[in-house]
Amino acid sequence: MMPEPLAFIGTADLAGLLRGKSIPLAELPNRMGRGVGIAPSNLMLSVFGPIHDTPFGTAGELMLVPDPGTETLIPAPGGPDIHLLLGDFHGTDGVPWDCCPRGFLRRALLALEAEFGLTLLAAFEQELVYTGTEDRPGSPYTLDALRRQGAFGGALLAAMCRAGIAPDSFLAEYGPCQFEVTAGPVPGLSAADQAVQVRELARAVAAGLGHRAILAPMLRPDGTGNGTHVHWSLLDRAGQPATHDPARLHGLSAAAEHMAAGMLHHMPALVAVTAPSAASYYRLRPGRWAPTRVDLGVQDRGSAIRVCPAHAAAPDSAARQFNVEFRVADAAASPYLALGALVWAGLDGLRRGLTLDSLAPAPLPASLAEAMGHFQASAAAADWFGPLHDVYLRFKRGELTALAGLDEAAICARYAAIY
Ligand code: GLU
Ligand code: MG
């Protein structure tokens, strides 16, 4: 018997996991407008599986409606490819659900465009550990490490190309068996979709080779972190680059400075969403090429926000290359929530005309619990997230309760088993 090809309609949820439902591929045309029915409490499925707490109970019905433009083929070992479609939650009346992760990002991007005429481009740079290669000393960035990982990197880039995702690079990173994959910049919603797709493609390609791609922020408390760095830049109404102004501080346009200042201003609360696991904070420690402070640096990979270089040799494209990198994120975060929170914070910086000189560097929150305290106390976050603000806090409190009594090594292991 031939296996029935499947379509999977899903979203990257509060746990940053891709969850949804599958249907026969032949049924997909009938489901395009309607979607698949899902209980609101599905959003409260914890990273570890069980629902620890939910305001929705067992009642209610939502439709997860696929976006046809997101169709991606996910290789499944021994079976036909799965057709992945990313979607938005609507009520059965067709009204967008106010707790939908993708809707949260969509609203932020629309507000940025409506109020300031700016389109945000983003590129996600994702680090992972591939288990199908041996750990040998002296390997960071070597051709040797790249060669020894075998078919994984090339197969991943081919799967990305097949999905219409333009790969920027694949390289052997600093940590044992650690690699990094980056997609080129695209408009914000597509960038978040692509981040979800690349994670799943990495996991699927590794599984096809009998191994895992582990994106957990830390595999061991004393190890090397896996970051998900988010590069962003702006286009104006005419589609022209609007991030760079060589005459201004750090080469940032006024709009880019306001946005970066907004992200810095809200960072203590923001990181509860962008670095959202207990283990995320073991990564944000000194000596890891990861940020430890709420700061902006020019071409400094230790800072929370890095102003990236543009190459003078190509002045006509310098304005297009110029971008800003947010480094306090990892793969425990839903790309929709992480990028959405960044855009909302940047938008607040634009609305208030915040500037970099008005901000003093401070330490980043040292734990998820501390970040959640800032998130809970933030009136701005309550405004951006709406009902999702309290829902998210309940969700994350349940996650921390599930980890109570475990030491850092055990906590890393719990997350590494999943991400
Ligand atoms: N692995 C580092 C992190 O956790 C980043 C290294 C780099 O600069 O790419 O963010
Ligand atoms: Mg890296």
Side-chain angles (χ1 to χ4, degrees), residues 22 73 100 121 149 177 194 206 213 217 249 301-302 329 347 351 379 418:
S22 69
L73 298 178
C100 173
L121 302 181
Q149 59 79 40
C177 309
Q194 292 190 359
L249 180 69
R301 288 180 169 81
L347 188 57
R351 286 172 179 160
I418 291 155

Side-chain angles (χ1 to χ4, degrees), residues 98-99 104 107 375 379-392:
D98 44 18
C99 291
F104 172 75
R107 283 196 300 278
F375 182 77
D383 182 42
W384 311 331
F385 281 79
L388 190 54
H389 189 243
D390 187 54
V391 165
Y392 186 78

Side-chain angles (χ1 to χ4, degrees), residues 8-12 18-20 32 35-36 63-68 70-71 84-90 100-103 106 189 193 196-197 336:
F8 183 94
I9 301 167
T11 189
L18 177 58
R19 285 194 171 108
M32 272 304 184
V36 290
M63 303 307 290
L64 186 55
V65 182
D67 180 337
T70 63
E71 189 163 349
L84 165 65
L85 289 105
L86 299 166
D88 296 89
F89 285 111
H90 292 183
C100 173
R102 200 164 180 258
R106 196 193 283 280
L189 191 64
D193 286 338
V196 177
Q197 292 158 345
Y336 301 121

Side-chain angles (χ1 to χ4, degrees), residues 133-139 148 175-177:
T133 186
E134 75 186 301
D135 168 24
R136 264 197 234 163
S139 295
R148 281 189 287 109
C177 309

Side-chain angles (χ1 to χ4, degrees), residues 125 127 141 173 180 229:
E125 182 181 319
E127 293 172 338
Y141 289 90
E173 251 289 359
E180 174 183 296
H229 302 162

